[in-house]
């Protein structure tokens, strides 16, 4: 069964359309990254998936149900970490999680296990007021994991985390998806998503402009690979010029060759044949950043980039 299916979904607030014609299917057990500039509609889409708001047009189905009308058992299957998670500062981490477990009718027996899973066992007895940003985010993640949800929605979960915590966070996410949980998260930091998510969903001004794994998006975009061949640059350039899409002027000891992705192996074979001229090769495939610029027609918000470590 698909975890989420959206068909022609639109959302208006008064006369302003904030989502339009959004259609996609998320298979169970995948990690999807929602990417888009500020105001692109990521949080709105998450709210629709959670059933907190209803679409103005189209249909959304989550774990086989309409989230806007589904009853309590459905809610237990979906975990949510909001962008700005707020806790009661005077409560300890342990009491906070127990409180949420009771609210969600989840087993309080899970609390210790979850604290261990997010690395908060030692801090469990401390008041949340003493927690760092990273500890709060991990407590938020533990809260979202209560009740062993089949779908997790995480709104900018890594904002404010240092690189080590980010890595640990994605390790937890990988563990979840390996066990079959579906994760949908939003982020502005494309470099951290590239190797860590299965599907990228690129949004622009309320529209879904690309949806798929990196390989599929690379093929759809038709962006070239960049191959840097080191060695006798002038001789390599003379041999390669015209044979591939574009050979860039040689530098002192290397030549950069732009090559259509389907021809990458041809180029590498050709270079291997010039063993006396070519001493090394580096291949650079289009990154998620490149794909984002291609599909959305803009680079990710400069302000958001400032949040990157
Ligand atoms: P960010 O990256 O800044 O969190 P986002 O992609 O999550 O942005 P949304 O919060 O979904 O964007 O907002 C999309 C658009 O919808 C924005 O223009 C926002 O002002 C508008 N919007 C969101 N909620 C409402 C509302 N309740 N009433 C009117 N407009 C709204």
């Amino acid at each position: 069964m698909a975890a989420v299916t959206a068909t022609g979904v639109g959302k208006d607030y008064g006369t302003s359309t904030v989502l339009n014609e959004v259609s996609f299917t998320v298979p169970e057990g995948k990690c999807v990254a929602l990417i888009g500039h500020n105001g692109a509609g990521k949080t709105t889409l998450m709210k629709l998936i959670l059933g907190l708001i209803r679409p103005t047009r189209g249909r959304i189905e989550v774990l086989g149900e309409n989230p806007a009308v589904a009853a309590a058992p459905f809610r237990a299957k979906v975990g949510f970490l909001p962008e700005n998670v707020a806790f009661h500062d005077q409560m300890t981490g342990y009491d906070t999680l127990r409180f949420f477990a009771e609210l969600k009718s989840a087993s309080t027996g899970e609390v210790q296990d979850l604290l261990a899973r997010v690395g908060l066992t030692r801090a469990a007895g401390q008041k949340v007021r003493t927690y760092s940003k990273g500890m709060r985010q991990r407590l938020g993640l533990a809260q979202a994991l209560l009740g062993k949800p089949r779908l997790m929605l995480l709104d900018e979960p890594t904002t404010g985390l240092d690189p080590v915590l980010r890595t640990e966070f994605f390790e937890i996410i990988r563990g979840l998806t390996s066990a079959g949980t579906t994760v949908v998260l939003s982020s502005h930091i494309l470099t951290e998503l590239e190797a860590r998510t299965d599907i990228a969903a690129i949004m622009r001004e309320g529209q879904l402009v690309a949806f798929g794994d990196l390989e599929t998006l690379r093929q759809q975009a038709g962006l070239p690979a960049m191959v840097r061949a080191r060695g006798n640059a002038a001789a390599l350039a003379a041999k390669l010029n015209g044979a591939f899409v574009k050979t860039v002027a040689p530098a002192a000891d290397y030549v950069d060759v732009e090559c259509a992705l389907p021809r990458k192996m041809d180029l590498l074979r050709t270079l291997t044949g010039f063993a006396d001229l070519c001493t090394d090769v580096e291949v650079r495939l289009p990154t998620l950043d490149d794909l984002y610029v291609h599909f959305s027609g803009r680079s990710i918000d400069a302000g958001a980039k400032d949040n990157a470590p």
Side-chain angles (χ1 to χ4, degrees), residues 13 18 36-44 47 83 156 188:
Y13 286 111
V18 300
H37 57 86
N38 291 120
K42 305 177 296 292
T43 305
T44 304
K47 285 183 184 166
E83 185 177 348
E156 301 193 23
H188 288 278

Side-chain angles (χ1 to χ4, degrees), residues 83-85 131-138 159-161 165:
E83 185 177 348
N84 296 308
V85 61
Y131 279 21
S132 67
K133 167 86 181 161
M135 291 162 87
R136 281 169 187 261
Q137 283 296 88
R138 282 186 280 161
T159 304
L161 298 191
L165 288 179

Side-chain angles (χ1 to χ4, degrees), residues 85-97:
V85 61
F87 296 115
H88 198 298
D89 273 359
Q90 293 302 323
M91 283 169 84
T92 65
Y94 178 84
D95 287 341
T96 303
L97 220 48

Side-chain angles (χ1 to χ4, degrees), residues 11-14 16-19 35-47 53 83 155-156 186 188 203 206 301 304:
K11 180 72 189 168
D12 296 345
Y13 286 111
S16 112
T17 296
V18 300
L19 279 187
I35 308 163
H37 57 86
N38 291 120
K42 305 177 296 292
T43 305
T44 304
L45 188 54
M46 284 201 183
K47 285 183 184 166
I53 55 175
E83 185 177 348
D155 202 354
E156 301 193 23
S186 65
H188 288 278
M203 299 190 67
D301 319 53

